[in-house]
Amino acid sequence: MWYWIVMIILIAGSAGMLAVSFDSIKKNKALAAAGIGGRSRGRKDDYDEEDDYDEPPRRRRQEKAPEEPKRSAKKKRRQWKIILEDIDSWDKYSFTFYDSVGIGRGKDGSIYEKYLPITGDGRVSKMHCVIIHRGDKLYLKDEGSRNGTYLNGERIDRPVVIQRDDIIGLGETRLEVQKILRESAED
């Protein structure tokens, strides 16, 4: 007798959970169709790395947009993405930026577009170094640090091109460049 009561309760609970799940899916689809919340539909990341999935293109409702001056002559700024890993602590840092990523011990890196604070290393200057882009490359530049900035074990005194697998040394901290991605060109 108890067996059947427990079975009925389990079946009823499962049916209830399924109903709630289906209702939630229907609401999410309705919200997505209305363009509310979440990631925009049909958009793929613009980086040179492939996504794990492909969404088919979807038609959007055409709305009359306010007239803007044509900007065909102006070149679009391209974003960069860099992933750094602290070799000793295995902490990973990912930055998406247009111009610069500052690295230092200071808490306020507002002069840079993005900032990586290295708080546990007393040999790192407040504004130690910066990763900047010029043309189609990223460069590592020392910002007048007291103990110097190193790239693959060599002290740098001018901006130097960085690439994947390079090791950036500042103080006792070593950061490995895991990935460098650039926004793909749109023709």
Side-chain angles (χ1 to χ4, degrees), residues 2-179:
W2 287 106
Y3 173 80
W4 292 108
I5 293 172
V6 171
M7 291 304 288
I8 291 171
I9 292 173
L10 286 174
I11 292 171
S14 297
M17 288 175 56
L18 282 172
V20 169
S21 296
F22 285 128
D23 187 48
S24 175
I25 291 170
K26 287 170 86 175
K27 285 181 183 176
N28 287 340
K29 282 186 178 181
L31 289 174
I36 300 173
R39 184 175 158 177
S40 61
R41 297 176 61 132
R43 179 185 168 271
K44 287 178 63 174
D45 287 340
D46 292 330
Y47 294 100
D48 292 334
E49 187 171 290
E50 292 182 15
D51 286 336
D52 293 334
Y53 61 94
D54 292 324
E55 291 181 341
R58 294 185 170 90
R59 294 183 180 244
R60 294 180 182 254
R61 194 175 350 141
Q62 291 186 0
E63 297 177 8
K64 189 172 183 179
E67 299 213 9
E68 295 181 15
K70 293 189 178 187
R71 297 182 186 178
S72 59
K74 188 175 180 182
K75 192 173 183 179
K76 180 184 171 194
R77 288 177 41 175
R78 296 173 74 178
Q79 280 189 322
W80 291 82
K81 182 173 185 177
I82 188 165
I83 300 172
L84 304 171
E85 180 178 354
D86 187 323
I87 293 176
D88 299 317
S89 68
W90 293 15
D91 291 333
K92 284 195 178 191
Y93 309 99
S94 176
F95 299 97
T96 302
F97 63 101
Y98 288 102
D99 296 315
S100 64
V101 176
I103 304 173
R105 186 172 37 100
K107 296 193 184 330
D108 179 31
S110 59
I111 64 171
Y112 304 108
E113 183 180 352
K114 301 287 181 166
Y115 185 70
L116 172 60
I118 306 290
T119 56
D121 189 345
R123 294 190 60 213
V124 174
S125 298
K126 288 184 179 179
M127 301 297 174
H128 198 97
C129 62
V130 63
I131 297 170
I132 55 175
H133 96 273
R134 295 289 179 258
D136 287 342
K137 294 184 169 72
L138 289 183
Y139 292 83
L140 177 65
K141 179 183 170 200
D142 186 73
E143 290 284 273
S145 64
R146 175 176 283 179
N147 294 314
T149 302
Y150 295 81
L151 184 64
N152 299 323
E154 294 183 27
R155 188 172 181 149
I156 62 169
D157 57 356
R158 59 180 172 70
V160 178
V161 175
I162 60 172
Q163 57 191 1
R164 185 172 181 231
D165 297 329
D166 279 346
I167 305 293
I168 300 170
L170 48 153
E172 299 292 325
T173 303
R174 295 176 302 152
L175 301 171
E176 180 181 2
V177 179
Q178 294 277 309
K179 284 189 181 182

